[in-house]
Amino acid sequence: MKCYSKDDTDFSGLIDSIGMFFQIRDDLANLTSKEYSDSKSFCEDLTEGKFSYPIVKYFQKECNTERLMEILKQRTGDVQVKKEAINILEKTECFKMTNLKLLELKEHIFVEIENFGGNPYLEKLLDNLSKIVYS
């Protein structure tokens, strides 16, 4: 689209931040949102053995990581095993750390939008995407 515009404003930082926000939000939703699990499956990222943002935070923070690693390697569909993994992440505040990162990113994105002159449509979109984020 840029080839059709004379505007040479570099939005890449804003776009990168929005992309990171959306990915981390998706990671959190996959592991914590009932609506998300109703539309896909319960904790699909665990079944796929993905190292999503909350899981990466866990491995960065904790020393005793064997059990969660074992669960990820299983790529299990067993709901009880997935609930155990969720419990591990909750007890170690990995969801809280993920939420804090999302709040930080959201604040940064809103400042960036304002620096570009504001965009009420983009702000509304981000507000709607942020509904999963604890305030």
Side-chain angles (χ1 to χ4, degrees), residues 3-134:
C3 66
Y4 296 108
S5 173
K6 294 184 193 304
D7 185 347
D8 62 352
T9 305
D10 182 7
F11 294 101
S12 59
L14 174 62
I15 300 303
D16 289 346
S17 294
I18 291 171
M20 184 181 300
F21 176 88
F22 184 80
Q23 183 58 58
I24 294 172
R25 180 205 171 273
D26 185 66
D27 291 348
L28 182 64
N30 185 277
L31 298 172
T32 63
S33 169
K34 179 174 174 15
E35 294 82 18
Y36 196 97
S37 66
D38 287 347
S39 68
K40 288 195 170 193
S41 68
F42 180 68
C43 298
E44 190 175 72
D45 284 356
L46 294 174
T47 302
E48 296 173 359
K50 286 186 182 175
F51 281 78
S52 64
Y53 191 87
I55 292 170
V56 169
K57 295 312 283 179
Y58 174 80
F59 284 109
Q60 289 176 337
K61 180 182 178 198
E62 295 300 314
C63 297
N64 184 11
T65 60
E66 292 84 15
R67 180 61 184 144
L68 188 58
M69 182 62 80
E70 182 181 301
I71 291 169
L72 289 169
K73 285 179 181 179
Q74 286 178 27
R75 297 178 177 239
T76 186
D78 185 320
V79 172
Q80 287 310 114
V81 174
K82 290 181 187 184
K83 284 182 178 180
E84 180 185 352
I86 296 303
N87 189 42
I88 290 169
L89 294 170
E90 283 176 343
K91 282 199 297 190
T92 55
E93 298 189 333
C94 293
F95 295 136
K96 181 179 180 181
M97 288 186 287
T98 301
N99 188 67
L100 290 172
K101 180 64 176 179
L102 286 170
L103 291 172
E104 174 189 312
L105 278 169
K106 180 183 177 188
E107 184 177 309
H108 173 75
I109 291 167
F110 273 84
V111 168
E112 287 288 313
I113 292 170
E114 187 62 35
N115 289 341
F116 285 118
N119 184 320
Y121 300 108
L122 186 53
E123 290 170 8
K124 178 78 171 165
L125 173 66
L126 284 164
D127 278 335
N128 285 333
L129 288 173
S130 296
K131 288 181 180 173
I132 188 175
V133 180
Y134 317 117

